[in-house]
Amino acid sequence: MKYRGKVVVTLKSGVFDPQGVTIKNALHSLSFESVEEVKTGKFFEVLFDAENDAEAEKLLEAMCHQLLANPIIEDFDFSLEKVK
């Protein structure tokens, strides 16, 4: 069965995000003064085969731990959907 995994990777709390700070400052210069914080991250969409929902979740989590996210400085969250 085919699955589509959607993964969002963000920096862990307390890890300095210079790109986020730059974007926040740019938004302020464009008169978006209400912006308090910007966090940058990565988005991945992965299409793959698995036997069932449990295996799909296990495989996608392994992909995140082994390649898509750096577990030392990043957190990740993902969702799965079956593809017809």
Side-chain angles (χ1 to χ4, degrees):
M1 177 165 284
K2 288 215 179 293
Y3 288 86
R4 177 174 286 113
K6 295 181 181 181
V7 181
V8 176
V9 179
T10 56
L11 291 172
K12 287 186 175 184
S13 179
V15 175
F16 182 62
D17 185 355
Q19 188 175 14
V21 171
T22 301
I23 293 167
K24 180 187 83 168
N25 292 339
L27 288 168
H28 285 179
S29 72
L30 295 170
S31 299
F32 295 103
E33 294 295 331
S34 63
V35 175
E36 294 180 15
E37 182 180 39
V38 175
K39 289 188 174 194
T40 60
K42 300 177 275 189
F43 174 77
F44 300 95
E45 192 168 303
V46 184
L47 185 64
F48 63 100
D49 290 313
E51 292 293 319
N52 54 49
D53 293 356
E55 182 189 17
E57 185 170 333
K58 182 179 176 183
L59 286 171
L60 188 55
E61 187 161 357
M63 291 177 209
C64 292
H65 280 291
Q66 293 178 31
L67 179 67
L68 301 179
N70 177 345
I72 296 170
I73 62 168
E74 295 174 320
D75 288 324
F76 64 87
D77 192 24
F78 63 81
S79 62
L80 277 169
E81 61 183 34
K82 290 180 186 174
V83 179
K84 295 182 180 182

